[in-house]
Amino acid sequence: MTDTFAELVLGDELVTAFISRQEIMCLAEEAFSVFTDERLDELGLNPESFTEAYQQPGLFVFGSWFDISDREAFDLENLSLGCVDWRNFVVNVLVAEGEPVDRARCIASQISVEGLRDVVRDAMVIDTGEGFGEAQDEVASALVACYLNEPSTSVS
């Protein structure tokens, strides 16, 4: 499973634009430790089913394809928080969407740990269809605060 995960994710330019190879390898090595072999069988989670799920647009999330428990989802979120610099992920996404890097860093710095957990949940567990999951409102508030706190430039 680890090899399948790494191969699929490292081959996905959308993901590698925002998450480093080292972070992806950490996720690949850790993600499946949440499940026992028996649980993987029960879920039907194997290299073939994972590949099929990953290739479906919007379904690269365990909870949208596999019936994982709330506890398993929580454990996946914790592993992911330990593997990926999610503040940097937010910065990279915002910069890709056209935000200046300084404002993107400001926004990311204002997102709470629970907000980062929401970002992880959206990226790995349950796709909400929102850019940052349930943290979307928190990100929007941070955007406004960072925009309002920027020194204004005057035109002479």
Side-chain angles (χ1 to χ4, degrees), residues 51-111:
T51 299
E52 183 180 352
Y54 192 87
Q55 292 172 343
Q56 300 300 312
L59 287 181
F60 167 58
V61 286
F62 288 93
S64 293
W65 195 266
F66 303 102
D67 190 22
I68 65 173
S69 70
D70 290 342
R71 179 60 197 192
E72 290 163 337
F74 183 78
D75 289 346
L76 279 170
E77 292 164 13
N78 282 338
L79 286 170
S80 182
L81 285 166
C83 285
V84 177
D85 179 347
W86 288 97
R87 288 191 197 283
N88 191 53
F89 172 84
V90 170
V91 169
N92 290 337
V93 169
L94 291 172
V95 168
E97 291 178 354
E99 289 296 332
V101 70
D102 289 342
R103 187 179 307 147
R105 286 185 182 130
C106 175
I107 294 164
S109 73
Q110 294 193 27
I111 299 172

Side-chain angles (χ1 to χ4, degrees), residues 8-9 12 29-31 40 48 50 55 57 61-62 96 107 123 133 139:
L8 289 168
V9 179
D12 187 335
E29 292 166 5
E30 299 293 331
L40 288 171
E48 295 78 27
F50 185 80
Q55 292 172 343
V61 286
F62 288 93
I107 294 164
V139 172

